[in-house]
């Protein structure tokens, strides 16, 4: 079963949930898709052996063949090519690697070259993987696609998604059997939860909610879930003890068998939810 863990914004607690779930199961594969800032390794402490370079294709101009007609810049939907005084300028950082410019060029003056945008690292048995996007790179989807090429089929797979509800999250949760939406009982958390709910409903993926930093002071998440008929899978209380341990790279499941049992119960709920 593929389980995606997502949240509307950073710092809500999705790594707490996804890493704790991974640490509670006897065997599973953990994939950190938050390639701009992967941090699951801090808590799960894998020994990383393998390193895969992720490359994309970008255009390169043969100035001997190019006559500066400008058809390449007109066909580029992302403004990655400009023609100034019949000289072609390429901006590879914003290229979306579609190859349209090579097709449009009437003089065969454009060919594609490889360009590294990041890496994928994994442990020996590929039960832990994460991606790292190079600093300054704006497009992370090729790295997530490379991560998903290594998904195992013989064990539960947990995908720790990036914050938000952008294309990277859509790419991460596509093909998953269940989504855990992690939120907190604040106006910001509530706002982002509603967006995440719209996304998973649009993609028709079963889902439930985990409330992190829960307290009796605010029940806005509970009221919303009740009205929308959404299951609240688990509550993690607002706790100085949990926050202090987290800051030291210690998950609740590392120091408490009770929490480990709670996350095992959570997994049973996910199985039932995915089967509906």
């Amino acid at each position: 079963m593929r389980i995606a863990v997502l949240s509307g914004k950073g710092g809500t607690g999705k790594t707490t949930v996804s890493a704790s779930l991974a640490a509670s199961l006897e065997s599973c594969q953990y994939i950190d898709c938050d390639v701009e800032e992967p941090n699951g390794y801090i808590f799960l402490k894998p020994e990383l052996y393998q390193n895969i370079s992720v490359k994309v294709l970008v255009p390169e101009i043969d100035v001997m063949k190019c006559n500066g007609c400008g058809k390449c810049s007109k066909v580029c939907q992302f403004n990655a090519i400009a023609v100034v005084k019949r000289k072609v300028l390429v901006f590879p950082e914003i290229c979306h690697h579609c190859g349209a410019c090579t097709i449009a060029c009437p003089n065969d003056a454009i060919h594609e070259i490889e360009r590294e945008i990041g890496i994928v690292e994994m442990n020996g048995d590929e039960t832990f993987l994460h991606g790292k996007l190079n600093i300054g790179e704006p497009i992370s989807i090729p790295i997530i696609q490379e991560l998903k090429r290594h998904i195992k089929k013989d064990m539960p797979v947990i995908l720790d998604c990036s914050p938000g509800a952008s294309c990277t999250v859509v790419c991460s949760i596509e093909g998953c059997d269940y989504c855990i939406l992690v939120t907190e009982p604040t106006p910001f958390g509530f706002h982002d939860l509603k967006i995440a709910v719209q996304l998973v409903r649009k993609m028709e993926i079963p889902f439930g909610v985990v409330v992190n930093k829960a307290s009796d002071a605010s029940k806005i998440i509970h009221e919303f879930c009740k009205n929308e008929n959404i299951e609240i899978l688990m509550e993690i209380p607002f706790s100085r003890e949990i926050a202090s341990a987290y800051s030291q790279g210690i998950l609740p499941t590392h120091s408490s068998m009770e929490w480990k049992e709670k996350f095992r119960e959570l997994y049973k709920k996910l199985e039932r939810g995915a089967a509906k």
Side-chain angles (χ1 to χ4, degrees):
M1 184 166 74
R2 298 182 185 183
I3 304 158
V5 182
L6 58 150
S7 65
K9 66 180 185 62
T12 304
K14 63 182 176 51
T15 299
T16 300
V17 173
S18 54
S20 294
L21 185 60
S24 301
L25 301 179
E26 288 188 9
S27 66
C28 71
Q29 184 184 39
Y30 175 92
I31 301 178
D32 195 338
C33 296
D34 188 359
V35 301
E36 293 187 33
E37 195 173 7
N39 61 354
Y41 71 96
I42 296 173
F43 305 97
L44 298 175
K45 299 176 174 54
E47 293 187 11
L48 302 175
Y49 294 104
Q50 301 185 61
N51 181 319
I52 299 172
S53 173
V54 179
K55 299 176 181 176
V56 296
L57 295 174
V58 296
E60 186 174 71
I61 311 300
D62 184 341
V63 295
M64 299 301 290
K65 295 181 178 179
C66 178
N67 63 2
C69 69
K71 291 185 177 178
C72 53
S73 64
K74 290 177 182 175
V75 77
C76 181
Q77 299 297 304
F78 308 102
N79 299 317
I81 298 181
V83 179
V84 180
K85 296 183 179 179
R86 303 185 75 81
K87 181 180 180 181
V88 180
L89 304 176
V90 178
F91 305 96
E93 292 81 6
I94 56 176
C95 173
H96 280 55
H97 336 298
C98 66
C101 54
T102 62
I103 298 171
C105 179
N107 302 313
D108 195 26
I110 302 177
H111 63 278
E112 293 177 303
I113 59 173
E114 288 187 329
R115 177 170 171 274
E116 183 183 281
I117 61 168
I119 59 171
V120 165
E121 295 180 321
M122 63 187 78
N123 62 357
D125 60 3
E126 298 190 13
T127 53
F128 180 99
L129 296 91
H130 69 195
K132 290 183 177 178
L133 184 69
N134 289 344
I135 294 174
E137 293 291 343
I139 300 172
S140 57
I141 285 180
I143 297 180
I144 295 171
Q145 290 172 332
E146 178 63 34
L147 285 167
K148 295 186 75 172
R149 273 194 277 272
H150 297 270
I151 283 180
K152 290 180 177 289
K153 297 180 180 178
D154 58 348
M155 61 176 60
V157 179
I158 300 166
L159 296 102
D160 187 354
C161 301
S162 56
S166 65
C167 296
T168 56
V169 175
V170 172
C171 179
S172 300
I173 71 176
E174 188 174 22
C176 285
D177 301 297
Y178 197 92
C179 285
I180 301 174
L181 310 186
V182 183
T183 188
E184 57 187 21
T186 64
F188 284 131
F190 181 42
H191 173 270
D192 292 330
L193 174 64
K194 288 189 286 187
I195 295 174
V197 167
Q198 290 177 357
L199 173 65
V200 293
R201 279 181 170 162
K202 185 75 174 177
M203 296 182 70
E204 299 182 345
I205 303 174
F207 68 98
V209 167
V210 169
V211 183
N212 191 26
K213 303 172 188 174
S215 76
D216 292 332
S218 174
K219 294 294 182 183
I220 56 175
I221 303 300
H222 292 74
E223 293 171 8
F224 172 74
C225 290
K226 182 179 179 181
N227 293 335
E228 294 288 327
N229 195 28
I230 299 170
E231 181 180 9
I232 294 181
L233 302 162
M234 173 189 277
E235 292 184 53
I236 302 173
F238 183 82
S239 164
R240 184 182 181 88
E241 182 181 352
I242 292 176
S244 178
Y246 186 84
S247 69
Q248 301 172 58
I250 301 171
L251 297 167
T253 50
H254 284 153
S255 55
S256 167
M257 279 302 299
E258 182 183 357
W259 274 109
K260 188 169 283 190
E261 284 302 320
K262 287 182 178 180
F263 274 94
R264 287 172 179 163
E265 287 298 318
L266 171 64
Y267 181 72
K268 293 178 182 176
K269 291 182 180 179
L270 307 183
E271 287 185 308
R272 291 195 292 270
K276 288 181 180 177

